[in-house]
Amino acid sequence: MSLWPELELVLPEVSKPARYIGGEGGMVEPEHHPSKVAWLLAYPDTYEIGLPNQGLQILYEILNERDDAVAERAYAPWVDMEAEMRAGGLPLFSVDTHRRAGDFDVLAFNLSAELVYTNLLNCIDLAGVPVRAENRADADLLIGAGGHCTYNPEPMADFVDFFVLGDGEEAVTEINAVVRDWKRAGKKSRQAVLRDLASVEGVYVPSLYDVVYDGPALVSITPRFADVPAVVEKRTVADLAAWPYPKNQLVPLTEVVHDRLNVEVFRGCTRGCRFCQAGMITRPVRERPAEQVRTMVADGLARSGYDEVALTSLSTADFSGIEEVVSATMDCGAGEVSVSLPSLRVDAFTVGLAAQIQRARRTGLTFAPEAGSWRMRQVINKLIDERDLYGAVESAFSQGWRRMKLYFLTGLPTETDVDTLAIGELARNCVELGRGHTKNPSVTVSLGGFVPKPFTPFQWFGQNTVAELQRKIFLLRDDIKRNRGVQMKWHDPKATLVEGIASRGDRRIGRVIEEVWRQGGTFQEWSEHFDYDRWTQAMARNGLSVDWYVHRHRTEDEILPWDHISAGLHKDFLWQDWRDALNEVGLEDCRWTPCYDCGACTGYSIEHIVASATPPAGGSQGTGQNPTAFQPQASVPVQLSGVGERASS
Ligand code: SF4
């Protein structure tokens, strides 16, 4: 039954009531039936952040196309709405038909950032379900989670009944079948359905595993039953062409982030940036056929009314035939459609592509060199040489852009002050190049703190302390503050530390997350709500050392909390890549070189699906040569640029 009559009374009292009303273009009002599994797909952040999430929209469509499932959506209520809901006894509800969460069978979350973990607990609590899995009754909602953060599920293991690792398109159908049979049999035993879920490939049920510690060290995580897998393998969809979703992207009634048509052009990335978890865990590369991209763009524009399309992936310029697809996209709207290409590499973008993009309005420019010095870029395997970077910057200025953002990480392995100050030098040189084309060129340095992530070669690295990150940030700030045209923004190092606690934490960190939540610590990714002291005090109260979890370098033989999870990557490949990083040795993209046997293809019998046997412009990386130095008088280069947003850190 709909809660709308009660919600209508509350909405005038809260900020942005449009967050809770639904009614988007593409929304489904599914017909619930006792024989169908009812899914509530939740994003544990605000509606504006959560609505565009493509993973959630894909599952929403796939489930609603089935005759044995229905799916609706929920987002974390903002603090004012939560207060009204708790005061009025209103539970978490769907935005589609405003049903209470308790009317569903599964509450499934997308987890894409560690700082939303407390929001997940809050949503479970608002749904009327015990936050700890062990306290749930047979018929309580099943709590599931997917998304990149689930590659280390342990910090959330006490709260989530089942995790789904990797691509969800095929797995969700198999999970639905298990829950459907359980529901039709009367939901008699929660234990039984969890055992059945554990037999679905890619599903991890943490309550079926024993965890053993020796003091602070983790000794083992092993299944308690013979039929439960000792290592849970991620799911990988081999053929993206079989999954042209979302077919009917949601068009919101209010402002949201990434408010445009999004068409995924490929999954996976083998550039091998050593800090980038997304690139490592989504291998191998699987391209969508260019013809299907064109159809999805044309149909999506016609259906949605959008005049902007983002061709999404982890490194869109690497898509075979990108120029033709962009050209066809621009033609769809008779010159009125703009194309954004998030996550472009500076060294893989051609003048032709830039010319296409400029046929419509200019979007902002963000380049992500990630590190200021060539030495540092060799360590992180982001082998962009200065010739390409300055070429891209100068081309952009020469073609009418006036402002750009340069994204960097600080706190990287082996980083020295020389590397930090090289960021300022690089930014100054970019402004200098801009002066040749415009009066007031502007470059914003955006500095993020580095958090080592599971399943990357940097998973063994001890993260910088808050004090060290702060010192480096101020060193750079002081270096560039008198340079006209250069601005600087940075991420709060204390938030970086908390991300670090959750990123590589084990199951004991769940107690900390619960304590922070119980003290009111929701929306921790929002600076006005982030509370560093709550986290450090909760660590201390639970007898857990920040130094042990965050700042300590790990050794090769250490048992890691995610060793019973497989992203397909061989651990010895990652260890060798870590040694190569310390030796400043780059590794070329395996799409166009012999295989390094990382495991991602061999383990799943899938090869890279790319249309072109030759790398795109700039794709042949890793020369090991010290690139050309800064030459502001150099002629306008052949290579251009990157547009859009940063992929990931
Ligand atoms: S298995 Fe080989 S080809 Fe496949 S991603 Fe790993 S290194 Fe590249």
Side-chain angles (χ1 to χ4, degrees):
M1 218 178 53
S2 172
L3 287 172
W4 184 248
E6 289 99 313
L7 290 169
E8 243 186 328
L9 301 175
V10 166
L11 292 182
E13 310 301 321
V14 303
S15 58
K16 301 188 181 177
R19 286 168 167 164
Y20 312 105
I21 63 174
E24 303 91 343
M27 188 193 87
V28 178
E29 289 188 61
E31 215 171 290
H32 289 246
H33 188 274
S35 66
K36 298 181 181 181
V37 178
W39 292 71
L40 184 56
L41 304 175
Y43 195 88
D45 204 330
T46 61
Y47 177 85
E48 304 91 282
I49 310 284
L51 180 117
N53 183 272
Q54 295 293 287
L56 204 131
Q57 290 201 28
I58 289 169
L59 298 184
Y60 179 71
E61 284 191 17
I62 290 173
L63 287 166
N64 279 320
E65 283 177 1
R66 298 184 59 81
D67 57 13
D68 60 356
V70 292
E72 301 197 28
R73 295 161 297 128
Y75 305 92
W78 189 245
V79 289
D80 57 355
M81 182 62 173
E82 184 198 342
E84 294 287 343
M85 288 164 67
R86 289 196 186 276
L90 292 171
L92 185 73
F93 57 89
S94 71
V95 296
D96 306 79
T97 66
H98 302 102
R99 272 182 168 75
R100 58 187 73 236
D103 292 346
F104 293 79
D105 303 303
V106 185
L107 174 56
F109 292 91
N110 179 294
L111 276 184
S112 48
E114 292 84 0
L115 289 179
V116 303
Y117 285 179
T118 55
N119 282 6
L120 186 138
L121 268 59
N122 205 36
C123 287
I124 296 174
D125 186 56
L126 282 168
V129 177
V131 293
R132 291 200 155 259
E134 65 193 359
N135 297 330
R136 288 174 198 149
D138 282 346
D140 275 336
L141 275 166
L142 287 168
I143 307 296
H148 287 183
C149 285
T150 61
Y151 279 87
N152 177 16
E154 289 308 293
M156 296 300 283
D158 288 342
F159 318 113
V160 174
D161 292 312
F162 69 94
F163 293 92
V164 186
L165 302 158
D167 299 331
E169 285 92 339
E170 293 164 348
V172 76
T173 301
E174 294 161 35
I175 294 166
N176 189 73
V178 170
V179 179
R180 180 198 60 207
D181 293 348
W182 175 63
K183 184 178 181 179
R184 288 179 184 174
K187 290 191 178 179
K188 288 207 183 82
S189 162
R190 194 175 189 87
Q191 270 306 308
V193 75
L194 292 176
R195 281 286 280 279
D196 288 345
L197 283 171
S199 68
V200 175
E201 199 186 326
V203 173
Y204 170 55
V205 179
S207 59
L208 302 181
Y209 292 74
D210 286 323
V211 186
V212 176
Y213 305 100
D214 180 9
L218 175 65
V219 174
S220 65
I221 300 182
T222 47
R224 290 201 265 122
F225 306 98
D227 60 336
V228 174
V231 175
V232 181
E233 297 279 349
K234 72 168 180 180
R235 293 297 289 261
T236 300
V237 166
D239 183 9
L240 220 51
W243 300 97
Y245 293 89
K247 296 172 180 168
N248 202 10
Q249 186 182 304
L250 294 166
V251 183
L253 305 175
T254 186
E255 213 172 314
V256 300
V257 301
H258 310 318
D259 195 3
R260 62 202 177 196
L261 183 69
N262 294 293
V263 175
E264 185 185 31
V265 294
F266 71 87
R267 227 170 258 184
C269 178
T270 41
R271 290 287 193 162
C273 300
R274 292 177 173 129
F275 56 87
C276 178
Q277 185 192 41
M280 293 288 167
I281 62 178
T282 59
R283 295 171 173 211
V285 169
R286 290 142 294 148
E287 288 194 354
R288 191 182 294 288
E291 185 52 41
Q292 188 179 61
V293 173
R294 282 192 284 271
T295 307
M296 288 176 73
V297 168
D299 291 353
L301 287 172
R303 203 178 283 124
S304 67
Y306 275 122
D307 62 0
E308 184 181 348
V309 185
L311 302 176
T312 66
S313 75
L314 290 173
S315 180
T316 296
D318 287 344
F319 181 67
S320 307
I322 183 70
E323 287 191 26
E324 291 76 22
V325 167
V326 169
S327 176
T329 303
M330 306 295 295
D331 291 340
C332 280
E336 297 302 316
V337 174
S338 65
V339 180
S340 53
L341 303 172
S343 316
L344 280 189
R345 285 178 63 97
V346 75
D347 57 350
F349 193 47
T350 64
V351 167
L353 192 47
Q356 292 292 350
I357 286 171
Q358 292 198 90
R359 285 166 54 193
R361 70 168 183 262
R362 287 190 184 113
T363 50
L365 268 179
T366 301
F367 300 127
E370 310 285 359
S373 69
W374 170 248
R375 189 199 72 80
M376 198 71 255
R377 290 198 295 275
Q378 283 180 301
V379 171
I380 64 174
N381 206 40
K382 187 130 191 180
L383 302 173
I384 295 169
D385 70 33
E386 292 184 6
R387 187 182 47 225
D388 283 340
L389 177 65
Y390 292 134
V393 167
E394 178 147 31
S395 295
F397 278 127
S398 73
Q399 291 170 51
W401 273 281
R402 301 281 172 266
R403 286 175 293 123
M404 63 189 65
K405 195 197 260 186
L406 298 177
Y407 193 86
F408 296 94
L409 288 167
T410 187
L412 291 162
T414 77
E415 186 178 62
T416 66
D417 288 354
V418 172
D419 301 307
T420 303
L421 293 170
I423 295 173
E425 184 65 20
L426 204 146
R428 277 191 290 275
N429 289 342
C430 291
V431 171
E432 178 85 23
L433 285 169
R435 291 215 172 91
H437 302 278
T438 182
K439 246 176 154 176
N440 294 308
S442 158
V443 169
T444 300
V445 170
S446 179
L447 196 59
F450 173 60
V451 179
K453 297 283 171 140
F455 296 109
T456 68
F458 291 168
Q459 66 183 355
W460 291 281
F461 172 64
Q463 184 175 323
N464 276 194
T465 61
V466 170
E468 180 62 356
L469 287 175
Q470 196 72 68
R471 188 190 70 76
K472 289 174 178 172
I473 290 167
F474 287 166
L475 178 73
L476 184 57
R477 181 200 61 182
D478 292 346
D479 179 59
I480 63 179
K481 70 181 171 195
R482 276 181 294 278
N483 295 118
R484 251 185 67 226
V486 183
Q487 293 83 39
M488 182 173 152
K489 292 179 181 165
W490 59 88
H491 191 61
D492 179 357
K494 291 178 175 172
T496 303
L497 179 124
V498 173
E499 280 176 46
I501 292 172
S503 168
R504 292 184 294 170
D506 56 32
R507 207 171 278 205
R508 292 170 291 193
I509 293 298
R511 303 202 299 262
V512 175
I513 294 167
E514 182 175 356
E515 190 170 322
V516 171
W517 165 67
R518 288 200 183 281
Q519 292 181 357
T522 56
F523 289 103
Q524 293 298 282
E525 72 285 20
W526 294 72
S527 54
E528 66 265 46
H529 291 290
F530 176 65
D531 191 333
Y532 175 69
D533 292 342
R534 271 195 188 130
W535 287 94
T536 50
Q537 286 164 8
M539 286 291 285
R541 263 194 294 271
N542 284 283
L544 302 173
S545 156
V546 170
D547 189 54
W548 171 269
Y549 279 95
V550 182
H551 304 309
R552 176 181 59 91
H553 295 303
R554 274 73 168 161
T555 55
E556 185 179 8
D557 57 354
E558 178 166 340
I559 306 292
L560 302 170
W562 49 93
D563 274 353
H564 60 304
I565 301 296
S566 171
L569 301 157
H570 298 315
K571 201 171 176 183
D572 57 359
F573 163 80
L574 290 174
W575 180 260
Q576 183 56 47
D577 209 28
W578 171 224
R579 307 319 295 170
D580 286 348
L582 297 177
N583 291 322
E584 302 168 16
V585 175
L587 204 62
E588 292 190 36
D589 189 325
C590 61
R591 259 168 292 190
W592 302 288
T593 60
C595 169
Y596 305 113
D597 191 25
C598 78
C601 299
T602 40
Y604 300 102
S605 305
I606 300 171
E607 289 186 5
H608 300 306
I609 299 168
V610 288
S612 170
T614 52
S620 178
Q621 55 172 239
T623 60
Q625 303 295 309
N626 199 6
T628 48
F630 175 60
Q631 294 174 342
Q633 287 82 30
S635 57
V636 176
V638 186
Q639 287 267 301
L640 184 87
S641 82
V643 180
E645 302 125 17
R646 160 183 176 237
S648 68
S649 55

